Amino acid sequence: MIWLYRILFLPALILASPYYGMRMLRRGGYAKDFSHRWGSQKNLPVPALGKKRIWLQAVSVGEIQAIAPIVEKLSKLPNVELVITTTTSTGYRILREKYSDKCLYVGVFPIDFVWFSRRAWRHIKPDLAILMEGELWPEHLRQAKERKVPAMLINARMSDKSFKRYSLFPFVSRKIIGKLSKICASSEFDMERFAALGTPRSKLACTGNIKFDSSDASELSSEEKSRLKAEMGFEENSFVLLGSSTWKGEEEMLVKAMEKLRADGIDCRLLLVPRHAERRAEVSETIKTFPHHLRSISKNAAPETLIYLADTTGELSKLTQIADLAFIGKSLPPNVGGQSPIDCAASEVPMVYGPNMTNFRRACETLERERAAIKVPDAKSAIGEIARLAKNPDLRRTIANSAKAWYNSNQGAAQRTFEAIEAELSE
């Protein structure tokens, strides 16, 4: 099977190059250490005698932020050398900022083709390879198997799309997933999906979602929240509606919700944090008729700004803390999958989301069961629910308290995952 993957990969890469090349140009920053993508992870010392080297791959900004408690624990082990790689340019910038002093090496993950992957493995020489969530790279796992290096998947998720794809080709899925020595699932639901694909129970553990243990921002004081609101041009008593990791079409709904609240006499200000900062031009077009400001231009907005576009990366946890109510993005049709509700729950911010939170199905089911979030079927209903909650501070406080309790009850996954990694190292 790996030979078929290798044969097909190169022409597929060539065909996809124009698309991914344009994405890289739009996002920027990809020139930094681009040679790593060809497997040229340079200046790595030979593994120290008596030490185990761990290669941890975290694809995106969210995963890089999520691994913070794991990195903190691993960095304190005297017998461990930690190498962390990522895939995106923004992720690499944050990786260098957050973890350079805690790791032997930080770099960019190689393209998953035999020439590049094999070269990276020769440079890094890990004793344990760790992947995050749903990223299963066939060549990377093949290199681990050839070298008899255990490979783990932590915070493992199996989305509806991935489960359907793997179920259509059970032989292929068993070949890929079978190369993992341990799968630390983020929920019982995800663990059962891996089991349904033929993964032996002995390889499975439900350690929970480490994102509950990795809120990226320290809790802001009342004074700090006031300063942040003033920075955005918002009044101290303004009602702040947050669009959390929004996708195409959702900003329009939130603008309409803001207009409705303002028409009803509520001084609503809109804080938009799109999932992809490179959508700033598209979102700016949507909000151009209102007094607005882009954070990428400067942090400080003019007084009486109505819409603040936080077109930056890695600040969502901090910005969430000034919100009175949030809408969780990628949840309204035609968007599918949903973005994480965890930041809002951690900051005690009541939240509304659409029907398509499939990537967080089990989490959202418990949120809704505990009355810690509200699901709506469409954009019109979202506007109505936002208006109802904006006019009912007691209800918002009840939902926020329930969300915080839900968040607190789900913590501890980082410690369980760390213990699983320790156990894998000792085998």
Side-chain angles (χ1 to χ4, degrees):
M1 199 269 307
I2 192 63
W3 285 106
L4 179 61
Y5 178 78
R6 288 170 176 174
I7 291 167
L8 295 176
F9 188 93
L10 207 52
L13 178 64
I14 293 168
L15 289 172
S17 291
Y19 169 74
Y20 284 106
M22 288 302 298
R23 281 185 61 182
M24 289 179 179
L25 286 173
R26 283 199 302 269
R27 294 191 178 186
Y30 276 88
K32 176 69 175 174
D33 291 327
F34 194 83
S35 63
H36 290 193
R37 298 182 189 276
W38 312 130
S40 183
Q41 279 73 18
K42 298 177 181 177
N43 303 320
L44 266 161
V46 175
L49 188 63
K51 290 197 174 186
K52 297 288 185 74
R53 184 171 291 181
I54 299 175
W55 180 0
L56 172 55
Q57 159 65 4
V59 171
S60 64
V61 172
E63 292 181 9
I64 290 165
Q65 292 171 337
I67 61 173
I70 304 291
V71 172
E72 187 66 31
K73 293 173 187 295
L74 289 173
S75 67
K76 293 177 180 177
L77 294 178
N79 64 327
V80 164
E81 295 178 338
L82 190 56
V83 173
I84 308 180
T85 56
T86 187
T87 303
T88 66
S89 59
T90 307
Y92 188 35
R93 175 177 58 79
I94 294 175
L95 180 61
R96 297 195 309 272
E97 292 171 359
K98 286 176 68 76
Y99 302 133
S100 289
D101 61 336
K102 298 181 184 299
C103 301
L104 174 73
Y105 186 85
V106 297
V108 182
F109 192 70
I111 295 170
D112 198 51
F113 184 61
V114 57
W115 298 337
F116 312 134
S117 184
R118 185 177 288 162
R119 189 180 182 198
W121 272 83
R122 283 200 302 263
H123 285 148
I124 295 174
K125 297 181 176 66
D127 298 291
L128 174 64
I130 303 176
L131 294 167
M132 286 278 291
E133 300 198 353
E135 298 296 329
L136 297 173
W137 299 101
E139 188 63 57
H140 184 66
L141 293 173
R142 175 68 181 187
Q143 294 300 319
K145 184 179 176 69
E146 286 182 359
R147 291 164 171 77
K148 297 182 173 55
V149 172
M152 297 179 68
L153 185 66
I154 65 171
N155 217 46
R157 293 192 299 113
M158 181 62 69
S159 68
D160 291 350
K161 184 178 179 181
S162 295
F163 185 65
K164 183 178 180 180
R165 185 170 64 242
Y166 282 126
S167 297
L168 286 173
F169 305 99
F171 173 75
V172 175
S173 65
R174 283 195 298 271
K175 280 285 187 180
I176 296 173
I177 298 172
K179 291 183 175 66
L180 293 164
S181 58
K182 192 73 176 180
I183 298 174
C184 297
S186 61
S187 71
E188 292 280 351
F189 177 76
D190 291 293
M191 185 174 75
E192 291 305 320
R193 281 193 157 179
F194 279 102
L197 292 171
T199 306
R201 292 280 177 179
S202 59
K203 290 186 175 184
L204 293 169
C206 180
T207 49
N209 192 334
I210 63 175
K211 291 181 178 178
F212 285 99
D213 299 310
S214 56
S215 182
D216 189 53
S218 301
E219 184 176 349
L220 299 178
S221 66
S222 297
E223 293 77 13
E224 288 171 324
K225 290 179 183 178
S226 295
R227 284 198 294 272
L228 186 54
K229 289 180 76 170
E231 183 180 281
M232 296 179 180
F234 298 170
E235 297 294 332
E236 176 63 29
N237 296 321
S238 295
F239 181 88
V240 180
L241 174 61
L242 168 67
S244 179
S245 296
T246 52
W247 285 60
K248 186 176 178 62
E250 293 170 337
E251 294 89 7
E252 287 89 337
M253 179 277 291
L254 287 163
V255 168
K256 290 177 182 177
M258 180 196 73
E259 288 185 288
K260 177 175 175 55
L261 291 179
R262 293 189 68 80
D264 291 342
I266 296 174
D267 179 24
C268 179
R269 310 296 179 95
L270 182 56
L271 170 57
L272 291 176
V273 188
R275 176 65 179 86
H276 298 294
E278 63 269 21
R279 289 186 58 237
R280 61 178 60 87
E282 175 190 336
V283 179
S284 295
E285 184 66 22
T286 299
I287 63 178
K288 66 181 181 181
T289 58
F290 301 91
H292 67 278
H293 182 83
L294 275 64
R295 191 169 177 84
S296 61
I297 295 174
S298 72
K299 289 186 177 181
N300 295 301
E304 301 303 319
T305 294
L306 293 187
I307 304 177
Y308 191 92
L309 175 56
D311 55 332
T312 53
T313 305
E315 295 191 286
L316 181 59
S317 296
K318 174 185 174 182
L319 299 178
T320 296
Q321 296 182 56
I322 68 162
D324 295 291
L325 178 63
F327 172 81
I328 308 298
K330 206 186 179 185
S331 62
L332 282 180
N335 300 310
V336 177
Q339 297 294 158
S340 174
I342 294 174
D343 281 324
C344 287
S347 298
E348 293 187 77
V349 175
M351 69 189 99
V352 175
Y353 46 71
N356 295 338
M357 293 286 284
T358 51
N359 288 343
F360 300 91
R361 178 183 289 121
R362 292 308 177 206
C364 289
E365 284 177 358
T366 57
L367 275 168
E368 294 155 28
R369 185 169 62 244
E370 296 173 23
R371 294 183 172 86
I374 294 178
K375 180 170 73 173
V376 295
D378 51 40
K380 182 179 179 181
S381 300
I383 293 169
E385 197 60 40
I386 287 169
R388 183 176 78 94
L389 290 170
K391 297 169 186 176
N392 194 332
D394 290 338
L395 178 57
R396 292 201 310 274
R397 175 48 46 199
T398 298
I399 294 171
N401 289 341
S402 297
K404 183 66 172 182
W406 171 83
Y407 173 81
N408 290 337
S409 69
N410 279 284
Q411 291 187 297
Q415 179 60 33
R416 292 189 290 271
T417 303
F418 170 69
E419 290 170 0
I421 292 171
E422 275 197 306
E424 202 68 20
L425 277 175
S426 63
E427 289 185 3

